[in-house]
Amino acid sequence: MASVGVVEGLKLEQRHGKDRVRVGRVWRDPDGTHHFVEWTVSIALFSDCLPAYVTGDNSNIVATDTMKNTVYAKAKESTERIPVELFAINLAKHFTTFYEPVTAAFVNIVEKQWERVYVDGQPHRHGFKLGSEEHTAEVQLKKSGALQVSSGIRKLRLLKTTQSGFEGFIRDKYTILPETRERLLGTEVTASWRYVFESLQSIPKQPLYFLNRNADVKKVLIDTFFGPEKGVYSPSVQYTLYEMAKMVLGRFHEVSSVTLKMPNIHFLPVNLSSKDNPAIVKFEDDVYLPTDEPHGAIEASLSRIQSKL
């Protein structure tokens, strides 16, 4: 996405913004319970500012330092607890309505997962620990009001120690990988899902809608990966990825598409032997060498087919 213009017979595509604006925000409930978020905000504005590039006329430029300051001002104005998606929408709405030259805004936010700690089995009112996962939000808003909203998860590490295999793949003179119906399946999921909402008016009115929906989607992804208590067999990462994406679309009608990246993080069977001792360590589905380089790269998107009726 970029603003496009023609100058001196050349096509110019441009945008400008501010990256990696870090902000923390605390909200305090009347009973003394605190809520905390840490966001890294990136903003890109699309505006009619070709003179800035061609003649040095900056009169239609929103300074990137102003964008940074706006993040903190809008965080201060958010007096009630707000999901990261709504904060991104508020930022995009501000830039597209407050500044006449701005035709569209793109806001990307990564939220670290600060999780409430428990002491003696009870939730601490103001204590948090940092989890490994990250939550993401992307908002594109045009001055016309056209809206796109996506949410996501990064660094979701999942592993199951059985009920995974890989058989029947193409074999040639370069193939040494043995077929198996018993292996570890480990991955680090990067997921994103786009909502059907296409205008500010279509955004759900519940204040914590996105917060709750994110938890719901994450649970569906995890539950589908592992299956019930006794597990479910995975004939490939590709198959499991498709099942996870399909389950999200089947469960949540307000989600229009799902994209999953699921690298196959390898755990290699360990067999140790020597001339004098052929079985120092004999592999019996129990001892592995964890390695993440190189790893298999599996990625796919699943979308609803829009009816033409």
Side-chain angles (χ1 to χ4, degrees), residues 18-24 37-44 71 74-75 78 82-92 95 106-113 134-140 150-154 191 214:
K18 198 75 166 181
D19 281 342
R20 300 188 61 79
V21 182
R22 299 184 62 181
V23 57
V37 294
E38 180 183 348
W39 295 328
T40 300
V41 183
S42 295
I43 301 163
V71 171
K74 292 301 178 182
S78 301
I82 186 174
V84 64
E85 289 85 357
L86 285 185
F87 186 70
I89 290 171
N90 289 346
L91 283 175
F95 288 119
F106 176 76
V107 180
N108 176 284
I109 305 180
V110 177
E111 178 180 335
K112 292 187 176 181
Q113 292 299 292
E134 294 177 339
H135 175 54
T136 61
E138 288 188 356
V139 169
Q140 294 184 32
S150 298
S151 299
I153 302 171
R154 302 193 318 194
N214 292 334

Side-chain angles (χ1 to χ4, degrees), residues 159-162 164 182-186 264-267 283 285-286 288:
L159 179 143
K160 62 181 186 178
T161 55
T162 188
S164 172
E182 181 61 43
R183 65 172 183 173
L184 266 66
L185 176 57
N264 189 2
I265 307 300
H266 300 302
F267 290 80
F283 179 68
D285 299 318
D286 51 4
Y288 299 84

Side-chain angles (χ1 to χ4, degrees), residues 140-157:
Q140 294 184 32
L141 179 63
K142 297 182 179 180
K143 190 178 288 290
S144 64
L147 176 70
Q148 293 182 14
V149 181
S150 298
S151 299
I153 302 171
R154 302 193 318 194
K155 300 180 181 180
L156 176 60
R157 296 177 175 90

